[in-house]
Structure formats: C-alpha cells, structure tokens
Amino acid sequence: TPDRLQTVEQSLGPDARAKGLNFTCMSLADEGYSERLAKVAGTGFDNIIVIAASTQAIEEAAPYLATGGVMNVFAGLKRGTMALLDLTPVYQQNVRFIGHTASTIADLRLMLQQTEAGRLAPNQSVAAIGSLTAAQEGLRAVQQAQFPGKVVIFPQIKDFPLTPLSDLKEKLPPVYAKLKNGREWTVEAEQEFLELMLP
C-alpha cells in the first residue's frame, strides 16, 4: 500500500542515501512504473528479495535479475503455491532462486554483532507495541498486514493496548519524545516505556 511504501522510504531512505546507496521506492500503481523500474534496473539486480506473499511479485521481479543474480522468495507462500517462471536464465545466466527464511546460530551471532556495531538497526522495523493482553490483536494485525512493520508485545508490563508508535504522542508523550524522528523505536524510548509500564 502507499502508506507502507512511504514508511519504508521515510525509515530507510535517508540512511541508505547517506551510505551512498541508490534507494528508490516504487509502486505498481505509480504512473510510468514500468519505465522507471527499467531505468533503475539497468542491466539487472544482483539480489532481489520478494517479501510479499505474491506469485505476481515473484513472476514480475524475476526478469530483472542480473547475470549471476539471486532471488530470495522470503515471504511465506502456502505450500503448493505455483509461480510461472522462465528458467532459461538459470542455465544461461547463472541466476538462482532460493527460498530461505531460517537463520543458523552463526547468522544470529553475525546479526547481533552488526547490531551492536551500529551497522544494523532492527528498531526501525517496530511499528506498534502492546502488553500481553494485546497479543491476540497483535497477531491479527500481523496477519492482516495492518502495520508497516513489526508488532512488539511486552509480556511483563501492565495492561496496554496495541498502539502504533505515532499514537504514543497522545498516549505516552514521554515515550514518544524519545522516538527517533517521531517514528522509530529506540533503546531510550523502550527504557522510558518500561519505567512507566512495569508493575
């Protein structure tokens, strides 16, 4: 949806550009989408990660793989789902299709090291928070893609409804004040939240 795309742009765009990356967000609904995508793709992408459980997304992204490129079908498609792909590039251009969501212990250690070193910012993915009483609603929200990010449930706090980070401005102003750019979860915001919400 446009809202989710805008959130991705606002959250990740500035940091990506600061690192010299060409960061572009596009939607199928954008005017001139195909032409813009072809221009950005150039000779193709080395890595494509499909994070939408959509065969259409897989089928439309595959032709944009560069020689030697890899597509990771990361989203949870139902067992037995079929996508129509031209596999000629597999043997002519050495492209690969993988489906990998699991992480090894070594992967988790690497992620932790990169987070501690400041190269990864997992807090950027937090979109809503709540207490254990909001867990069922949180699961439903994830299932329905209600938020443009992750739902974090704090089981140890007092009752607190499922709340988008933007709503903290009215519900918990001291926590909202510690968000980065008024929209990104931070360690400081979490410390303030726990101080206020622990029984």
Side-chain angles (χ1 to χ4, degrees):
T1 65
D3 288 346
R4 292 171 70 86
L5 203 59
Q6 183 180 13
T7 300
V8 169
E9 165 63 42
Q10 290 171 341
S11 295
L12 304 179
D15 288 341
R17 291 185 192 97
K19 293 176 182 172
L21 298 173
N22 180 6
F23 187 87
T24 306
C25 291
M26 291 183 277
S27 166
L28 286 167
D30 292 346
E31 187 175 333
Y33 165 80
S34 297
E35 294 79 13
R36 284 183 63 210
L37 179 59
K39 185 176 178 182
V40 170
T43 58
F45 299 107
D46 295 327
N47 294 286
I48 296 176
I49 302 172
V50 180
I51 56 174
S54 160
T55 54
Q56 180 183 357
I58 296 165
E59 292 169 359
E60 291 185 4
Y64 291 101
L65 277 170
T67 298
V70 178
M71 176 186 281
N72 185 352
V73 182
F74 188 82
L77 293 165
K78 291 181 181 176
R79 186 181 303 274
T81 300
M82 303 292 280
L84 297 175
L85 295 172
D86 177 3
L87 297 180
T88 306
V90 171
Y91 63 86
Q92 285 189 348
Q93 296 172 279
N94 198 31
V95 305
R96 292 182 295 144
F97 295 91
I98 64 172
H100 189 278
T101 59
S103 298
T104 65
I105 297 299
D107 293 331
L108 296 174
R109 283 192 184 113
L110 177 61
M111 189 192 81
L112 180 59
Q113 290 167 357
Q114 290 183 339
T115 300
E116 290 172 340
R119 290 192 296 273
L120 285 179
N123 282 338
Q124 287 182 329
S125 66
V126 178
I129 58 174
S131 69
L132 191 57
T133 55
Q136 187 175 15
E137 185 184 355
L139 288 169
R140 220 174 5 256
V142 169
Q143 185 180 36
Q144 297 168 357
Q146 182 179 336
F147 299 110
K150 303 292 184 189
V151 171
V152 178
I153 298 297
F154 292 86
Q156 73 276 40
I157 64 171
K158 297 179 276 190
D159 284 357
F160 189 75
L162 187 63
T163 304
L165 296 187
S166 58
D167 289 0
L168 292 173
K169 188 172 189 176
E170 289 78 33
K171 291 189 176 185
L172 287 175
V175 177
Y176 181 82
K178 299 199 175 194
L179 298 179
K180 181 181 175 186
N181 301 322
R183 66 178 175 271
E184 289 179 23
W185 195 241
T186 63
V187 171
E188 295 77 17
E190 185 165 318
Q191 288 170 342
E192 183 71 21
F193 180 66
L194 292 176
E195 190 172 319
L196 293 170
M197 297 304 299
L198 283 172

